[in-house]
Amino acid sequence: MKPPVFDYATPATLAEATALLVQHEGEAKVLSGGQSLVPLLNMRLARPAVLVDLARIPDLDYVRADGDGFAIGGMTRQRTVELSPQIQAQHPLLHAGMLLIAHPQNRNQGTIGGSLAHADPAAELPALALALDATFSATGP
């Protein structure tokens, strides 16, 4: 199947992305890695007027120590988390869970934020977030 027609935006900053979402008042979808959204578009289960691609916002891609845990950016690829030596050493449950997400090819494209935002109850990342007592920071208007 083919996705519906939509406009495509590539903001360079989080402020630009937020402004686009406000401007399109619920008619926009955020594209992170696309592993969840693209199939929905192709099956026409999602029909956004605008697709806001976060790929060009560098501030959203990071894994860094944060107190006793880690801070992981929403655009961080799942494979980056899987291969992180710090995650492997300090959070073996998160590392083990990452290995169960699809295939390496999918993890190379899929993002932490995209998977969590999609919130599929059968997905590994929402269950891991719950088990690890994760906290989230969100930006909005």
Side-chain angles (χ1 to χ4, degrees):
M1 295 192 75
K2 295 182 181 179
V5 175
F6 52 80
D7 289 332
Y8 179 75
T10 56
T13 67
L14 193 52
E16 285 179 37
T18 302
L20 283 164
L21 294 173
V22 169
Q23 176 186 347
H24 294 285
E25 300 180 33
E27 294 296 319
K29 288 280 185 190
V30 174
L31 177 64
S32 191
Q35 300 302 293
S36 300
L37 181 58
V38 170
L40 293 175
L41 291 169
N42 287 339
M43 292 184 285
R44 295 189 178 223
L45 295 173
R47 294 174 178 256
V50 179
L51 203 57
V52 179
D53 189 346
L54 302 181
R56 295 186 185 174
I57 304 176
D59 299 343
L60 298 178
D61 183 2
Y62 58 85
V63 175
R64 59 179 173 248
D66 185 19
D68 291 335
F70 285 89
I72 302 173
M75 284 298 294
T76 305
R77 303 291 175 189
Q78 296 162 353
R79 187 88 163 142
T80 300
V81 175
E82 171 193 342
L83 297 176
S84 166
Q86 296 97 344
I87 298 287
Q88 290 177 24
Q90 296 177 13
H91 286 283
L93 177 60
L94 178 57
H95 175 256
M98 297 306 296
L99 297 171
L100 299 174
I101 298 171
H103 300 283
Q105 297 87 341
N106 294 89
R107 295 191 297 270
N108 281 329
Q109 186 65 24
T111 62
I112 298 297
S115 184
L116 290 168
H118 186 65
D120 183 338
E124 291 81 8
L125 277 171
L128 283 168
L130 182 63
L132 295 170
D133 198 27
T135 59
F136 301 89
S137 297
T139 300

